[in-house]
Amino acid sequence: MQAQSASNVTVESKVVANPVLRGMMPDPTCLWDQDRESIVVVNSSFEQVPGLPITESPDLLTWTHAGFAVDADMGNKLFLDCARDSGGLFAPTMRKKDGRYIIACTVKNVDCDLALRQGHSPQAILAYKRSGGNFIITADSLSGPWNGPFWIEGAVGIDPDIYIDSDGVMYWTQTTPAERPKWSGQTAIWTQRISSDSWELQGERTVIWHGASTEAFWPEGPHLYRYGDYIYLFTAEGGTYLHHSEMVARAYAPRSLDEALQSSRVSRLCQNCYESRLFRPSPNNPLLTHRNMGLSFPVQCVGHADIACHPRYGWLLFCLGVRRYADADGRNPRTYLGRETFVTTLQWQQQIPEETDIMDRCFSGTKDPGWPVASPGIGRLPLALRIQDESSRVSLMDTAECLYPQIGQPQMPPISIAGDRSNGTFRRITDLPMWMWLSDSFETVIHLSRSNYISFDVSSRPAGGCDVIVHMMIDSCIHESIVAVEKCNVENMAIVFRGATTEIVIADTDAAQLKQNLRPQYVLPARYTTAHVFDTGYLSVESTSGFVGCLAGVRMLGADEILQEERQVAHMKAE
C-alpha cells in the first residue's frame, strides 16, 4: 500500500488490520523479545490441547506460530482432561528473566472426582487444590521444552501476573473475590513476593486494589509495570461482556515496590495480609472501553490488556475484544468467534525528551512519565494501524478503507478438546462467513462446547443424490435430522457457516475439482446452490455465557453416540 506524505512524495506503508490475531485468541499477554526481535503473544486456551498458543511478529503484519506452552503431557499434569466447558487454562502472563521464559496461569473448573476416577494421583490433586489451580511453567526457548507445572501453594484467585521490579525482586499479583464484599462483584487484587528459585510465596500479602470506579464490578487481569519512579497497575473492570474496560492506577515507588507497600498499609486483614492505599487511579480512566459505543458497534467487550514497547513503533497495547455478527435481517448481533486479540498504540501524556532513543524512552525516560493514553485521537480501538516503512511512524486508521481481508495470520496447527474420545481435530474460525467441504469419511463439526455444536455426515444414495445426517447438540440435548439433496455428488457438498445460520450447499463442479483439504476456508465458491438452512444462533457465546468461541473441524463417524454414552455414564455417577 502507498500513502501520500505532506510533501506529496509517495512513501510505502503497511496496514495492520484489527483484530491482529483472529478467532478464539483471548486474554493476550505480550512482551518484546529482544533476543528474537519480535513481539511475542500468548493467549488463553481453556480446555484445548495443545494449549497456551504462542505467536510472534517482528512487524505486527506477519505472525508466526512459535509453539504451544502446554502439550498433551503437560495438559495431563494440569488436569485438562477433567476440565468442564469453558474451564481449563485462564488468562496467562508471560515474562522473561535472565533469558528464561516464565508463564503464570490458572487452571479452573476441574472436576476433581473425575480426576481421581481417571487415575490422577491424590497428591497431584491436593497440590492443585492448595494452589487454587495457580501454577508456573518455564522454558529456555519458546518452542520448549516447558518445565513444570510448579504449583503456587497459597495462591488464591485467577489471572496471575509476574512482575520483576528494578531491584530484581519478583512479585505474584492476582485477582480474588473480596473476602467480605461490600457490593456485588467486588474483588481484591493482591500482591506478594515470590521466589524465582522455589516458586514459593514469601513475606506478607498486600491487597492493593478494589477497582477504579465506585462499586467496581469484577476488577481482574492485573499487570504491573515500572516506568521511572512509578509502578503502574493495569486492570480490566466491568466483567468480560459489554461493560468490559481497562483501567490504570499508579504508585510512587522510587526505590522498590516492597518499601512503598510497607509504608502505605492502612489495615491488617488477617495474619500476614494487609491492605494498602498506595495506588491511585488515573484521572483519564477508563484507559480503553467500547461500552460507550452503543450495541450496534461491531467490536465490543474491549479490555484485559497487556503492553509492550516495540523498538521502532513505540508502546503498543494488546487487548481482547469481540466482533459481533447480526442475523440475516441485521438484528440480534451475537458473538460466534470468541474473544480475539486487538492492538492499538499507547502514549504517555507527559513530554518525554526526544534526545534518547525509543527503547530508552520506553524503559527509563523521565522519573514521572505521566499517564498512559490508548488510541490517542480516537479513544477506542482503531480498525487498523498504518505503519510507514521509512519512519516507522504508526498512525490509526478508522475509515472504511481499513476493512481488508485477513492477511499475515499465523498458520496454527489443529487442536483437540481435552478428554474428547471422538478423535476430533479443530481449527479456530477466523472470519465469517466460513465454509468447509463435507466428506463421507468423517463428520464435519462446528463446535462451541461439548453441549453446543452441529455436525454433518454425508453419504451417497444408490439412486443418486446425497443424504446429509445432521446432529444439532443444543444445551446437551441432541436433535437429529436427515436432509435429502438431489442431483449432487459427495464431492460437491459443503457447508457455509454464517453464525446465526449454517447452510448445506452444492458447489459447482469446477469448485469441487479444487477440493484439496477440509480446513475452514473464507472465499466462498463462485457458484453454489443452497440446499438447506439451519438456525445456529445457539452457537453464539451469548447463548451459553461461556468464554470460548466456535471451532471448525472433523471427527470420526459415530462420535455422537460415544459422546451421548459418556454423558449418560457421567450423569449416573453424579447421582
Side-chain angles (χ1 to χ4, degrees):
M1 180 175 180
Q2 293 183 330
Q4 294 290 328
S5 68
S7 59
N8 292 325
V9 177
T10 300
V11 296
E12 293 294 325
S13 64
K14 304 172 183 176
V15 172
V16 179
N18 266 322
V20 70
L21 292 175
R22 300 182 175 215
M24 203 193 83
M25 299 288 275
D27 308 327
T29 178
C30 63
L31 58 82
W32 170 256
D33 192 337
Q34 185 62 46
D35 296 327
R36 301 177 71 95
E37 297 186 340
S38 290
I39 287 282
V40 178
V41 175
V42 183
N43 296 89
S44 296
S45 55
F46 302 98
E47 66 266 39
Q48 298 169 8
V49 177
L52 299 186
I54 305 170
T55 51
E56 63 176 336
S57 175
D59 57 5
L60 300 182
L61 189 69
T62 303
W63 289 84
T64 303
H65 173 68
F68 290 98
V70 174
D71 59 14
D73 181 61
M74 183 71 77
N76 185 62
K77 295 176 182 177
L78 293 170
F79 310 102
L80 292 186
D81 58 327
C82 305
R84 303 177 179 90
D85 283 338
S86 286
L89 299 173
F90 280 32
T93 293
M94 170 181 271
R95 298 295 182 253
K96 192 175 183 182
K97 183 177 189 291
D98 300 329
R100 179 173 63 162
Y101 297 97
I102 303 168
I103 292 180
C105 195
T106 312
V107 58
K108 295 294 292 181
N109 297 335
V110 168
D111 186 334
C112 291
D113 292 334
L114 177 61
L116 278 172
R117 293 196 300 270
Q118 295 192 170
H120 289 278
S121 73
Q123 293 81 6
I125 296 173
L126 182 60
Y128 162 78
K129 290 181 176 179
R130 286 179 171 175
S131 66
N134 292 285
F135 65 92
I136 289 280
I137 54 177
T138 65
D140 296 325
S141 169
L142 289 181
S143 59
W146 287 85
N147 306 305
F150 306 103
W151 297 105
I152 311 302
E153 184 171 349
V156 179
I158 58 172
D159 299 359
D161 174 65
I162 290 293
Y163 166 66
I164 304 161
D165 205 358
S166 55
D167 58 2
V169 176
M170 184 179 291
Y171 294 82
W172 176 278
T173 307
Q174 69 180 143
T175 302
T176 187
E179 187 172 338
R180 292 182 289 274
K182 298 178 181 177
W183 60 84
S184 175
Q186 183 186 12
T187 66
I189 293 177
W190 59 272
T191 192
Q192 190 171 355
R193 296 194 311 276
I194 187 170
S195 167
S196 59
D197 296 321
S198 64
W199 299 117
E200 294 178 342
L201 295 172
Q202 299 177 330
E204 297 89 2
R205 179 171 303 179
T206 305
V207 174
I208 59 174
W209 195 245
H210 290 290
S213 56
T214 303
E215 297 191 359
F217 182 75
W218 207 256
E220 59 185 338
H223 291 301
L224 292 174
Y225 317 89
R226 174 175 287 281
Y227 198 167
D229 286 343
Y230 289 84
I231 295 175
Y232 289 80
L233 170 65
F234 281 54
T235 68
E237 196 169 296
T240 59
Y241 195 45
L242 295 175
H243 295 101
H244 206 200
S245 62
E246 188 70 18
M247 303 289 188
V248 181
R250 73 176 188 173
Y252 182 64
R255 285 180 288 273
S256 73
L257 175 59
D258 188 62
E259 178 182 292
L261 288 173
Q262 292 196 38
S263 64
S264 64
R265 290 171 176 166
V266 295
S267 62
R268 181 172 179 171
L269 301 178
C270 60
Q271 185 177 5
N272 292 328
C273 184
Y274 298 84
E275 184 152 6
S276 167
R277 295 288 189 270
L278 180 64
F279 284 84
R280 295 289 184 265
S282 167
N284 302 323
N285 277 328
L287 175 70
L288 188 64
T289 189
H290 279 196
R291 63 192 181 197
N292 60 323
M293 299 305 299
L295 297 180
S296 62
F297 196 72
V299 177
Q300 298 282 351
C301 309
V302 170
H304 199 107
D306 200 0
I307 63 174
C309 188
H310 193 288
R312 297 189 303 278
Y313 306 155
W315 286 98
L316 299 170
L317 179 147
F318 292 83
C319 67
L320 70 78
V322 304
R323 287 178 290 168
R324 302 217 298 167
Y325 294 85
D327 58 22
D329 296 328
R331 297 179 296 181
N332 300 320
R334 296 179 182 177
T335 306
Y336 296 94
L337 307 186
R339 295 162 171 85
E340 306 174 277
T341 294
F342 292 73
V343 65
T344 189
T345 56
L346 188 88
Q347 293 181 3
W348 300 85
Q349 279 192 336
Q350 188 159 314
Q351 182 69 34
I352 298 174
E354 293 296 330
E355 61 270 13
T356 54
D357 65 41
I358 194 165
M359 290 304 286
D360 287 339
R361 296 202 302 273
C362 284
F363 295 110
S364 58
T366 62
K367 292 184 178 296
D368 182 3
W371 293 101
V373 176
S375 298
I378 66 173
R380 58 176 172 82
L381 286 177
L383 293 177
L385 306 181
R386 188 200 304 273
I387 301 173
Q388 293 184 2
D389 289 346
E390 185 175 300
S391 64
S392 295
R393 179 177 177 269
V394 182
S395 57
L396 307 182
M397 301 176 67
D398 210 42
T399 62
E401 66 176 350
C402 308
L403 300 178
Y404 294 97
Q406 57 172 317
I407 56 174
Q409 291 294 298
Q411 296 298 312
M412 304 289 286
I415 55 177
S416 61
I417 307 300
D420 178 16
R421 289 177 50 220
S422 69
N423 292 335
T425 58
F426 301 93
R427 296 179 187 271
R428 294 166 178 84
I429 300 175
T430 57
D431 272 299
L432 293 181
M434 179 279 300
W435 71 282
M436 286 182 68
W437 293 109
L438 297 182
S439 168
D440 55 3
S441 301
F442 35 74
E443 294 178 340
T444 300
V445 187
I446 308 297
H447 174 100
L448 177 65
S449 67
R450 297 179 183 93
S451 303
N452 289 68
Y453 62 79
I454 185 169
S455 67
F456 303 86
D457 171 15
V458 61
S459 60
S460 298
R461 293 188 303 185
C466 297
D467 286 332
V468 183
I469 301 175
V470 181
H471 290 110
M472 301 176 68
M473 181 69 77
I474 305 176
D475 297 334
S476 297
C477 295
I478 196 158
H479 306 265
E480 180 179 299
S481 60
I482 299 177
V483 178
V485 185
E486 306 293 339
K487 298 179 181 179
C488 69
N489 299 312
V490 170
E491 291 74 18
N492 296 79
M493 301 301 298
I495 60 167
V496 177
F497 177 56
R498 301 182 184 276
T501 60
T502 301
E503 305 167 19
I504 297 175
V505 303
I506 308 168
D508 64 17
T509 303
D510 292 338
Q513 290 176 348
L514 301 176
K515 187 173 182 177
Q516 296 177 348
N517 63 65
L518 300 172
R519 296 183 180 184
Q521 301 181 57
Y522 300 96
V523 179
L524 296 179
R527 294 181 298 277
Y528 63 89
T529 302
T530 299
H532 196 85
V533 180
F534 291 91
D535 180 356
T536 49
Y538 69 94
L539 297 179
S540 68
V541 175
E542 290 82 355
S543 69
T544 63
S545 300
F547 299 126
V548 298
C550 286
L551 308 173
V554 296
R555 67 187 186 195
M556 64 184 184
L557 295 174
D560 285 292
E561 287 76 9
I562 294 175
L563 297 174
Q564 279 187 299
E565 179 184 347
E566 286 183 342
R567 287 190 185 89
Q568 290 172 358
V569 171
H571 181 69
M572 287 170 27
K573 287 182 177 179
E575 290 181 337

